Amino acid sequence: MTIEIRIGNWTESQAVAQAIRYAVFVIEQKIPAQLEWDDMDAVCVHALAFDEQGHGLGTGRLLPDGHIGRMAVKKGARGSGVGGALLDALVKAAQQRDDKVVKLNAQASAEGFYARHGFSRDGHEFMEAGIPHIGMQRVLSTTA
């Protein structure tokens, strides 16, 4: 599968990102919709993954403070490299703006995925939206 990653702001990304996040977080994971949406989307860098036909497959965001969040990949696209491509694009965006560290709150079941992409555990397991999470971080090199 060929994956295209597009980086953009919320205005450019909103329609596709919202649809993916709604399908994954609200429908599939049963997270209440009011917990999914916040005011931070407007100030984040957003990454979207598309297939060859232009269908949205996944999304993630990079907050101004260096946190990566709202990583979501549609069920049918998991295991195909979409999540890794999104994560790599967000890390690259953080490096380009000279962030020194990126952090994220990974669902505990995804800890291995993030570890394979250079993230290490940063703290203890905690509950967020009724799902066990782990704080993780990755120190970025000084060269992009």
Side-chain angles (χ1 to χ4, degrees):
M1 173 191 312
T2 301
I3 302 164
E4 177 190 354
I5 303 296
R6 298 180 198 161
I7 299 292
N9 61 35
W10 187 234
T11 301
E12 299 162 336
S13 307
Q14 183 175 3
V16 174
Q18 276 187 328
I20 294 167
R21 286 164 49 183
Y22 189 84
V24 172
F25 296 130
V26 178
I27 301 298
E28 184 182 334
Q29 296 183 357
K30 312 250 185 287
I31 294 171
Q34 64 269 25
L35 294 180
E36 177 53 30
W37 314 116
D38 60 28
D39 295 335
M40 295 306 296
D41 280 319
V43 297
C44 288
V45 173
H46 293 269
L48 296 171
F50 295 90
D51 65 13
E52 299 92 345
Q53 290 78 39
H55 299 118
L57 301 174
T59 186
R61 71 182 189 181
L62 174 64
L63 284 87
D65 69 358
H67 274 79
I68 291 174
R70 302 303 200 269
M71 289 280 298
V73 175
K74 286 183 173 178
K75 190 178 253 184
R78 293 181 196 147
S80 64
V82 171
L86 285 165
L87 188 58
D88 291 345
L90 291 168
V91 167
K92 184 177 178 181
Q95 288 174 314
Q96 288 173 338
R97 70 179 192 194
D98 206 28
D99 290 359
K100 305 300 181 216
V101 176
V102 285
K103 295 186 175 203
L104 53 83
N105 293 335
Q107 291 186 7
S109 61
E111 182 179 3
F113 164 78
Y114 291 107
R116 287 189 299 277
H117 288 272
F119 285 81
S120 58
R121 186 183 273 237
D122 183 30
H124 299 286
E125 189 172 299
F126 61 94
M127 295 297 286
E128 186 174 355
I131 299 170
H133 280 72
I134 301 287
M136 301 188 81
Q137 71 174 2
R138 177 175 163 184
V139 177
L140 302 178
S141 66
T142 55
T143 57

